[in-house]
PDB file of all heavy atoms in Angstrom:
ATOM      1  N   GLU A 267      -2.703   3.972 -24.903  1.00  0.00           N
ATOM      2  CA  GLU A 267      -2.013   4.478 -26.117  1.00  0.00           C
ATOM      3  C   GLU A 267      -0.500   4.214 -26.183  1.00  0.00           C
ATOM      4  O   GLU A 267       0.223   4.983 -26.822  1.00  0.00           O
ATOM      5  CB  GLU A 267      -2.295   5.983 -26.215  1.00  0.00           C
ATOM      6  CG  GLU A 267      -1.584   6.836 -25.142  1.00  0.00           C
ATOM      7  CD  GLU A 267      -2.425   7.165 -23.930  1.00  0.00           C
ATOM      8  OE1 GLU A 267      -3.378   6.443 -23.639  1.00  0.00           O
ATOM      9  OE2 GLU A 267      -2.100   8.172 -23.251  1.00  0.00           O
ATOM     10  N   HIS A 300      -9.487   7.497 -30.471  1.00  0.00           N
ATOM     11  CA  HIS A 300      -8.880   8.176 -29.304  1.00  0.00           C
ATOM     12  C   HIS A 300      -7.422   7.717 -29.087  1.00  0.00           C
ATOM     13  O   HIS A 300      -6.528   8.562 -28.984  1.00  0.00           O
ATOM     14  CB  HIS A 300      -9.752   7.876 -28.097  1.00  0.00           C
ATOM     15  CG  HIS A 300      -9.262   8.524 -26.836  1.00  0.00           C
ATOM     16  ND1 HIS A 300      -9.783   9.699 -26.357  1.00  0.00           N
ATOM     17  CD2 HIS A 300      -8.316   8.151 -25.943  1.00  0.00           C
ATOM     18  CE1 HIS A 300      -9.184   9.997 -25.233  1.00  0.00           C
ATOM     19  NE2 HIS A 300      -8.294   9.089 -24.965  1.00  0.00           N
ATOM     20  N   GLU A 301      -7.237   6.425 -29.040  1.00  0.00           N
ATOM     21  CA  GLU A 301      -5.893   5.935 -28.748  1.00  0.00           C
ATOM     22  C   GLU A 301      -4.919   6.299 -29.908  1.00  0.00           C
ATOM     23  O   GLU A 301      -3.788   6.654 -29.649  1.00  0.00           O
ATOM     24  CB  GLU A 301      -5.868   4.422 -28.490  1.00  0.00           C
ATOM     25  CG  GLU A 301      -6.813   3.926 -27.410  1.00  0.00           C
ATOM     26  CD  GLU A 301      -6.704   4.676 -26.139  1.00  0.00           C
ATOM     27  OE1 GLU A 301      -5.632   5.152 -25.774  1.00  0.00           O
ATOM     28  OE2 GLU A 301      -7.766   4.861 -25.443  1.00  0.00           O
ATOM     29  N   HIS A 304      -3.835   9.841 -29.659  1.00  0.00           N
ATOM     30  CA  HIS A 304      -2.864  10.118 -28.626  1.00  0.00           C
ATOM     31  C   HIS A 304      -1.442  10.084 -29.171  1.00  0.00           C
ATOM     32  O   HIS A 304      -0.533  10.637 -28.551  1.00  0.00           O
ATOM     33  CB  HIS A 304      -2.944   9.058 -27.512  1.00  0.00           C
ATOM     34  CG  HIS A 304      -3.835   9.432 -26.343  1.00  0.00           C
ATOM     35  ND1 HIS A 304      -3.815  10.644 -25.766  1.00  0.00           N
ATOM     36  CD2 HIS A 304      -4.766   8.678 -25.649  1.00  0.00           C
ATOM     37  CE1 HIS A 304      -4.695  10.659 -24.769  1.00  0.00           C
ATOM     38  NE2 HIS A 304      -5.273   9.498 -24.687  1.00  0.00           N
ATOM     39  N   LYS A 322      -3.523  16.048 -22.301  1.00  0.00           N
ATOM     40  CA  LYS A 322      -3.623  15.027 -23.326  1.00  0.00           C
ATOM     41  C   LYS A 322      -5.012  14.424 -23.383  1.00  0.00           C
ATOM     42  O   LYS A 322      -5.482  14.093 -24.471  1.00  0.00           O
ATOM     43  CB  LYS A 322      -2.543  13.942 -23.139  1.00  0.00           C
ATOM     44  CG  LYS A 322      -2.774  12.953 -22.008  1.00  0.00           C
ATOM     45  CD  LYS A 322      -1.602  11.943 -21.991  1.00  0.00           C
ATOM     46  CE  LYS A 322      -1.667  10.935 -20.831  1.00  0.00           C
ATOM     47  NZ  LYS A 322      -2.595   9.812 -21.115  1.00  0.00           N
ATOM     48  N   GLU A 323      -5.690  14.291 -22.220  1.00  0.00           N
ATOM     49  CA  GLU A 323      -6.980  13.580 -22.287  1.00  0.00           C
ATOM     50  C   GLU A 323      -8.123  14.439 -22.780  1.00  0.00           C
ATOM     51  O   GLU A 323      -8.910  14.015 -23.619  1.00  0.00           O
ATOM     52  CB  GLU A 323      -7.299  12.944 -20.905  1.00  0.00           C
ATOM     53  CG  GLU A 323      -6.329  11.860 -20.463  1.00  0.00           C
ATOM     54  CD  GLU A 323      -6.199  10.734 -21.483  1.00  0.00           C
ATOM     55  OE1 GLU A 323      -7.019  10.607 -22.396  1.00  0.00           O
ATOM     56  OE2 GLU A 323      -5.207   9.936 -21.332  1.00  0.00           O
ATOM     57  N   THR A 326      -7.559  14.927 -26.449  1.00  0.00           N
ATOM     58  CA  THR A 326      -7.802  13.746 -27.284  1.00  0.00           C
ATOM     59  C   THR A 326      -9.257  13.332 -27.309  1.00  0.00           C
ATOM     60  O   THR A 326      -9.779  12.845 -28.326  1.00  0.00           O
ATOM     61  CB  THR A 326      -6.888  12.595 -26.799  1.00  0.00           C
ATOM     62  OG1 THR A 326      -5.513  13.109 -26.806  1.00  0.00           O
ATOM     63  CG2 THR A 326      -6.908  11.386 -27.723  1.00  0.00           C
ATOM     64  N   TYR A 384     -11.488  14.157 -18.430  1.00  0.00           N
ATOM     65  CA  TYR A 384     -11.731  13.754 -19.786  1.00  0.00           C
ATOM     66  C   TYR A 384     -12.836  14.595 -20.469  1.00  0.00           C
ATOM     67  O   TYR A 384     -12.585  15.236 -21.487  1.00  0.00           O
ATOM     68  CB  TYR A 384     -12.182  12.272 -19.831  1.00  0.00           C
ATOM     69  CG  TYR A 384     -11.018  11.309 -19.801  1.00  0.00           C
ATOM     70  CD1 TYR A 384     -10.218  11.159 -18.688  1.00  0.00           C
ATOM     71  CD2 TYR A 384     -10.729  10.506 -20.904  1.00  0.00           C
ATOM     72  CE1 TYR A 384      -9.180  10.275 -18.649  1.00  0.00           C
ATOM     73  CE2 TYR A 384      -9.671   9.599 -20.895  1.00  0.00           C
ATOM     74  CZ  TYR A 384      -8.880   9.484 -19.770  1.00  0.00           C
ATOM     75  OH  TYR A 384      -7.858   8.588 -19.744  1.00  0.00           O
TER      76      TYR A 384
HETATM   77 ZN1   ZN B 902      -6.910   9.099 -23.479  1.00  0.00          ZN
END
Side-chain angles (χ1 to χ4, degrees):
E267 70 263 23
H300 180 98
E301 304 311 328
H304 266 315
K322 75 178 177 82
E323 295 305 346
T326 307
Y384 277 68

